[in-house]
Amino acid sequence: MVMETNQLLEKQAEKQGLKLKVAWTTLSNSTAMMEAILSGQMDFITPGVPTLATMWDKDRRHAE
């Protein structure tokens, strides 16, 4: 929320000479976050530890 409100991504991009269009999305649960990041629909998410462990396991199995 702080990053969105203060436009921190956009400001850092401008310092690098880039112009970003950022879309902030709120998802209802960790499963939705996990599916969005694994499918490439989102660039980053802020999950808790259990979701990170599940994502690691799912991604690891895809790499095999």
Side-chain angles (χ1 to χ4, degrees):
M1 289 179 189
V2 172
M3 290 174 66
E4 180 180 9
T5 301
N6 295 323
Q7 297 181 323
L8 297 180
L9 287 175
E10 296 92 331
K11 289 175 183 176
Q12 288 299 313
E14 279 184 31
K15 289 180 182 178
Q16 302 286 326
L18 304 170
K19 179 141 178 93
L20 288 183
K21 180 180 178 187
V22 178
W24 296 95
T25 304
T26 302
L27 298 175
S28 59
N29 58 48
S30 60
T31 302
M33 283 192 283
M34 182 173 55
E35 294 301 324
I37 198 79
L38 290 173
S39 69
Q41 295 176 351
M42 293 192 162
D43 294 316
F44 71 92
I45 58 174
T46 57
V49 173
T51 303
L52 287 172
T54 303
M55 284 177 46
W56 172 83
D57 184 55
K58 283 190 174 207
D59 190 50
R60 183 178 59 83
R61 283 187 278 163
H62 286 254
E64 293 176 351

